[in-house]
Amino acid sequence: MHRYEVVFIATPALGNLVPAVEFANLITKHDPRFSATVLTFSMPQRPLINTYVQERPSSSTNVRFLHLPSVDPPTPDQYQSTIAFLSLFIHNHKLQVKQALLNLIPTESKPHSPPLAAVFVDMFSTPLIDVAAELAVPCYLFFPSPASFLGFALHLPPVDAVKSESEFVVPSFKNPLPRPVLPKLVLDCNDSYTWFSYHAGRYRETKGIVVNTLQELEPHALQSLYSDSKWPRVYPIGPVLDLAGSAQWDPKPAQYKRIMEWLDQQAASSVVFLCFGSMGSLKANQVEQIAVGLERAGVRFLWALREPPKAQLQDPTEYANHEDVLPDGFLERTAGIGLVCGWVPQVKVLAHNAVGGFVSHCGWNSILESLWHGVPIATWPVYAEQQMNAFQMVKELGLALEIKLDYRVGDLVRAEEVEKGVRSLMKGSDEIRRKVKEMSDKCRGAFMENGSSYANLGSLIQELTN
């Protein structure tokens, strides 16, 4: 039996790394001729990445992690934004990546090593396309965000337009995009825009683009990509999800146990879950408004509340005491109906039958998880492309209810808006709930034999083995 090796390189952020690892698992399970190597970066500012890599049990014996040697990080005078730091950080690993790939390529001294069928880079690791080209290895893009955002990246408006225009026509969206829902990395018009434009310009150099979405979810966005002959072939193979979630490598197992035991005591679909992602946090005045709104809404709630990061490149941290940031007496008054915690095994929570609604930051992984488990979302985007995701879910697909579409950290959503949004989500969103349930069935069907994503994955594998 011929064997093949594929290599994955992902930006050091959970939202990028986890789907890349799950895609590696998907390929090796779909076709046992494949083995996969995931190259990982060490980033001290993001300890959860290191915890994930070290503690996560492999769900496939054909997937392994290979840790790249450390290099000096960019100095503060070299970047203004997190995207610029990450892009330079990955660029500085070119030699280490080249050596790792050389070690995998068959030679006279190791003739039985499987041939390197492809290298998969992600949306912010495109400098490594050069390394693959130098070694004559086919290079693909694995895009962990939606096809709609890929279409936006490929038709990025120029800086002058970003500064002056109020809405933008993008082929991957049915409706014009209002300026307030554009990503911060574009609106800032600093080095984040420059780097994003650089990466997007390089996507066309890849042999194909694999997107973590499915045909049934984003038909318009995908059709706009299929019909443009300037771009490489697009393979929608999602939803690629880690359905075991952080429970298998959870940094706080006692908290996980406490959360699941509490959910076990609640009635079906009675709990609203509030979570703002692995890198999401809100300021103290916003936390207070959420608390007041939740208390007024009177619904059962599970709230993942984390402290804003202390520095630009760091992740949010755990509060030593939630009472320090919540209104006086809030925890006592809501003890019978609510639970406030820190880090949450999100996918396990969404899978629990007690959860009936999700106030979400609208990260794409979170959206896919909620759709898979049939849990309707109320949108509260925070960073990255989340405002555009929220816009698509509410305005284009009718799969979510709006609390905010264009929220930015520093804005203030008042308690009345929180109360109204939570009540509508839990008690007045029957049509959205029905459509989400239908999409849940389509997500699961996409991976059945002859399903859309199953077929697209088969086409990709056929190309990799020819």
Side-chain angles (χ1 to χ4, degrees), residues 383-400:
Y383 57 91
E385 88 285 8
Q386 293 161 10
Q387 288 81 10
M388 289 172 65
N389 295 349
F391 179 85
Q392 178 176 228
M393 286 290 286
V394 172
K395 300 296 186 183
E396 307 239 319
L397 304 178
L399 286 169

Side-chain angles (χ1 to χ4, degrees), residues 82-101:
T82 300
I83 294 304
F85 173 89
L86 290 170
S87 301
L88 288 166
F89 179 74
I90 292 170
H91 180 276
N92 292 350
H93 281 82
K94 274 188 169 184
L95 287 176
Q96 287 73 15
V97 170
K98 180 180 178 181
Q99 188 57 55
L101 296 181

Side-chain angles (χ1 to χ4, degrees), residues 141 143 146-155 172 203 209 211 225 234:
L141 174 69
F143 201 77
S148 56
F149 184 54
L150 173 61
F152 174 77
L154 298 176
H155 295 88
S172 56
Y203 295 167
I209 302 177
V211 190
L225 296 168
V234 173

Side-chain angles (χ1 to χ4, degrees), residues 408-420:
R408 310 281 168 176
V409 174
D411 295 349
L412 192 65
V413 179
R414 296 285 177 185
E416 306 84 67
E417 297 174 87
V418 176
E419 177 188 5
K420 179 183 175 185

Side-chain angles (χ1 to χ4, degrees), residues 125-445:
S125 58
T126 64
L128 303 177
I129 293 172
D130 298 332
V131 179
E134 186 181 346
L135 300 178
V137 178
C139 190
Y140 291 77
L141 174 69
F142 175 61
F143 201 77
S145 291
S148 56
F149 184 54
L150 173 61
F152 174 77
L154 298 176
H155 295 88
L156 192 63
V159 171
D160 289 347
V162 171
K163 290 179 176 177
S164 61
E165 295 180 17
S166 59
E167 63 179 28
F168 303 84
V169 175
V170 178
S172 56
F173 287 84
K174 294 178 189 173
N175 302 292
L177 285 173
R179 187 177 186 276
V181 306
L182 298 191
K184 185 175 185 294
L185 60 82
V186 171
L187 290 175
D188 284 351
C189 294
N190 59 12
D191 63 357
S192 63
Y193 177 95
T194 304
W195 271 106
F196 185 55
S197 178
Y198 164 82
H199 291 304
R202 301 212 64 182
Y203 295 167
R204 72 179 70 195
E205 298 175 42
T206 59
K207 193 172 180 183
I209 302 177
V210 179
V211 190
N212 191 11
T213 192
L214 63 151
Q215 183 66 42
E216 293 80 358
L217 177 58
E218 293 191 275
H220 175 86
L222 286 166
Q223 187 56 48
S224 75
L225 296 168
Y226 298 150
S227 61
D228 195 331
S229 60
K230 291 183 295 187
W231 312 117
R233 181 173 174 181
V234 173
Y235 298 87
I237 51 78
V240 178
L241 298 171
D242 178 7
L243 294 174
S246 62
Q248 60 184 336
W249 54 271
D250 198 290
K252 298 207 169 200
Q255 179 165 275
Y256 169 61
K257 184 172 181 284
R258 171 175 166 245
I259 291 167
M260 301 314 287
E261 287 177 350
W262 184 82
L263 286 172
D264 287 343
Q265 297 168 11
Q266 313 308 317
S269 301
S270 65
V271 176
V272 62
F273 173 42
L274 298 90
C275 185
F276 296 91
S278 59
M279 293 191 290
S281 60
L282 302 171
K283 294 187 175 180
N285 61 343
Q286 184 62 78
V287 170
E288 181 180 13
Q289 293 296 312
I290 292 175
V292 173
L294 278 176
E295 193 169 357
R296 288 179 184 169
V299 303
R300 297 184 176 276
F301 65 87
L302 173 64
W303 183 5
L305 177 58
R306 303 176 74 211
E307 187 172 14
K310 306 286 195 298
Q312 179 185 12
L313 298 169
Q314 292 180 347
D315 289 342
T317 53
E318 303 293 296
Y319 279 106
N321 190 341
H322 286 120
E323 289 180 346
D324 295 341
V325 69
L326 292 167
D328 289 343
F330 173 80
L331 291 175
E332 290 80 7
R333 291 191 301 274
T334 60
I337 63 167
L339 182 62
V340 179
C341 54
W343 176 264
V344 171
Q346 178 175 287
V347 73
K348 288 294 189 184
V349 169
L350 290 170
H352 200 288
N353 70 354
V355 175
F358 184 19
V359 176
S360 173
H361 66 307
C362 297
W364 190 239
N365 292 320
S366 295
I367 286 174
L368 293 177
E369 289 168 5
S370 71
L371 291 175
W372 182 270
H373 290 296
V375 179
I377 282 177
T379 62
W380 193 323
V382 181
Y383 57 91
E385 88 285 8
Q386 293 161 10
Q387 288 81 10
M388 289 172 65
N389 295 349
F391 179 85
Q392 178 176 228
M393 286 290 286
V394 172
K395 300 296 186 183
E396 307 239 319
L397 304 178
L399 286 169
L401 175 128
E402 175 184 353
I403 291 181
K404 283 291 178 183
L405 294 183
D406 56 358
Y407 178 83
R408 310 281 168 176
V409 174
D411 295 349
L412 192 65
V413 179
R414 296 285 177 185
E416 306 84 67
E417 297 174 87
V418 176
E419 177 188 5
K420 179 183 175 185
V422 167
R423 280 186 171 164
S424 297
L425 177 66
M426 299 304 288
K427 299 174 181 176
S429 56
D430 291 348
E431 178 60 15
I432 289 173
R433 197 171 293 275
R434 182 190 64 78
K435 291 180 72 173
V436 167
K437 179 64 175 71
E438 284 181 359
M439 188 55 65
S440 173
D441 294 339
K442 290 176 180 177
C443 286
R444 292 162 188 261

